[in-house]
Amino acid sequence: MIGLRPLIEWPLVAALVGLFGTAAFVLLASEEGSFNLQQSVSPLLPWWRIAALVILVTASCMMLDVTASMAGVDWKGALPLFTEVLTETHAGHVWQWYLSAMIALVIFTFLPTRQSVRVPAILGLSALVIFLQAELSHATDKGSLAVVVYFLHAAAAGLWFGALLAFWIVQRRGAPPSEWVARAALKVSKSAGWTVAILILTGIYTAYHGLGFDLYHLLYSAYGRTLLAKVAVFSLVLPIGAYNRYRLIPEINGASAQKSLVRNVGIESLILAVGVLGLAAVLANTPPAHGHVMPPGMQMHM
Ligand code: HEM
């Protein structure tokens, strides 16, 4: 039921890159004395727990769905075949790591422990799962450099989306001092600059693998059109980011600039979470137009 897969992959990818990026933001923005790690984590922790459970459920559904399509059966018929796929296929070998990492993610989001232990654990484990996700993607057909670039693309997406989302949640739920908000806003703005640059460069490289330098493929293939839609929605966010950076950040010590920034960051996060990541999930489940043989994860690599 490949048709369902983008609907499973979207919450998986949004939860995964969101968890990675918000954990990175907390380490970047928390400051001893004014707004420490404990204070910046507490408004995010309930979201992290939900995200970890969403990853556990949706990734398990993805594994079952891929097993079902490999064997040409439905989910019920796929259950008894799961162990064989786990031990006999490339996807299965990757899933063995994936399963352990995502269970550890759930444990570290629920475990009563110090934030100085929890946050780096969440950051490291979610980075590992993003890498394993890249190993299961179309990039796996194009070699290890393509897999690393795919990982960097998804990680940069997480750092940008996560910084915006964490800033919005902490500001709305954590009552941080306005001096902290001003400093955090500068950090978000600075990191947005280079994460967006990495996103575009790695996105173009990955798109080349999916389309080649072929305008016909870009304009008329399902993969090309989905990519164009994704870039179009992405370009809706850029002017909002530019307005924040060049109009609001220079005035960020003022209450009204802070209020407008939080509103705009909320809008950016929503467009990225629904529009861009939704289309990224569709793209990841659309056969590339260029030089592609078998759907990802369906090869029997002995
Ligand atoms: C110029 C802009 C961009 C280009 C050209 C681009 C291109 C791509 C391509 C070709 C893929 C691989 C799909 C596949 O075959 O599996 C991809 C995946 C992805 N992109 Fe982008 N992208 C861009 C911007 C973004 C932005 C702004 C975000 C989010 C903030 C984003 C998030 C992702 C994610 C998370 C994936 C992995 C999806 C998955 O594993 O399910 N991309 N992108």
Side-chain angles (χ1 to χ4, degrees):
M1 302 185 278
I2 289 189
L4 253 187
R5 219 168 285 162
L7 282 178
I8 308 171
E9 178 126 10
W10 171 47
L12 170 59
V13 168
L16 185 54
V17 298
L19 193 55
F20 171 72
T22 49
F25 172 81
V26 160
L27 287 182
L28 179 83
S30 60
E31 300 163 356
E32 273 324 306
S34 90
F35 196 67
N36 63 24
L37 195 58
Q38 176 57 45
Q39 289 166 306
S40 34
V41 167
S42 65
L44 285 166
L45 195 51
W47 293 72
W48 286 353
R49 288 174 171 163
I50 294 167
L53 293 175
V54 166
I55 294 167
L56 187 71
V57 173
T58 52
S60 311
C61 293
M62 282 293 280
M63 294 176 189
L64 198 57
D65 197 57
V66 171
T67 306
S69 19
M70 275 185 188
V73 295
D74 63 12
W75 285 21
K76 204 154 155 263
L79 279 171
L81 304 171
F82 190 66
T83 338
E84 188 196 340
V85 169
L86 210 57
T87 50
E88 305 294 333
T89 69
H90 164 72
H93 298 155
V94 176
W95 290 346
Q96 291 173 26
W97 287 95
Y98 204 123
L99 284 165
S100 337
M102 70 184 186
I103 292 164
L105 257 182
V106 173
I107 292 170
F108 273 102
T109 51
F110 281 88
L111 200 69
T113 182
R114 291 198 320 277
Q115 307 307 359
S116 55
V117 173
R118 186 196 313 277
V119 181
I122 290 175
L123 188 66
L125 287 165
S126 55
L128 173 61
V129 177
I130 292 174
F131 181 77
L132 297 170
Q133 189 76 14
E135 263 290 333
L136 293 166
S137 75
H138 292 134
T140 203
D141 299 343
K142 305 290 176 180
S144 30
L145 175 62
V147 170
V148 170
V149 172
Y150 198 105
F151 162 71
L152 288 175
H153 185 73
L159 292 175
W160 183 33
F161 170 57
L164 295 171
L165 186 64
F167 179 79
W168 186 76
I169 293 172
V170 172
Q171 169 55 8
R172 305 273 306 216
R173 295 262 182 283
S178 74
E179 304 75 35
W180 179 87
V181 175
R183 286 192 294 274
L186 282 173
K187 288 176 185 164
V188 172
S189 176
K190 263 209 200 97
S191 69
W194 54 265
T195 48
V196 169
I198 293 172
L199 261 171
I200 295 173
L201 291 174
T202 54
I204 292 171
Y205 176 89
T206 310
Y208 163 70
H209 276 308
L211 293 167
F213 279 127
D214 189 320
L215 193 60
Y216 182 86
H217 280 161
L218 181 64
L219 297 177
Y220 298 109
S221 72
Y223 192 88
R225 289 181 173 182
T226 311
L227 179 65
L228 286 175
K230 181 185 171 195
V231 174
V233 177
F234 162 53
S235 45
L236 289 179
V237 180
L238 295 181
I240 307 175
Y243 178 84
N244 296 344
R245 190 184 186 100
Y246 299 109
R247 293 300 296 275
L248 297 179
I249 290 289
E251 324 269 329
I252 200 56
N253 293 315
S256 84
Q258 289 193 6
K259 197 158 164 272
S260 313
L261 182 69
V262 172
R263 181 203 57 223
N264 291 356
V265 163
I267 296 168
E268 285 181 283
S269 308
L270 193 63
I271 298 175
L272 289 176
V274 178
V276 178
L277 292 176
L279 286 162
V282 175
L283 198 58
N285 290 285
T286 305
H290 173 67
H292 188 70
V293 184
M294 298 275 283
M298 289 185 76
Q299 292 85 1
M300 298 289 276
H301 291 307
M302 295 301 175

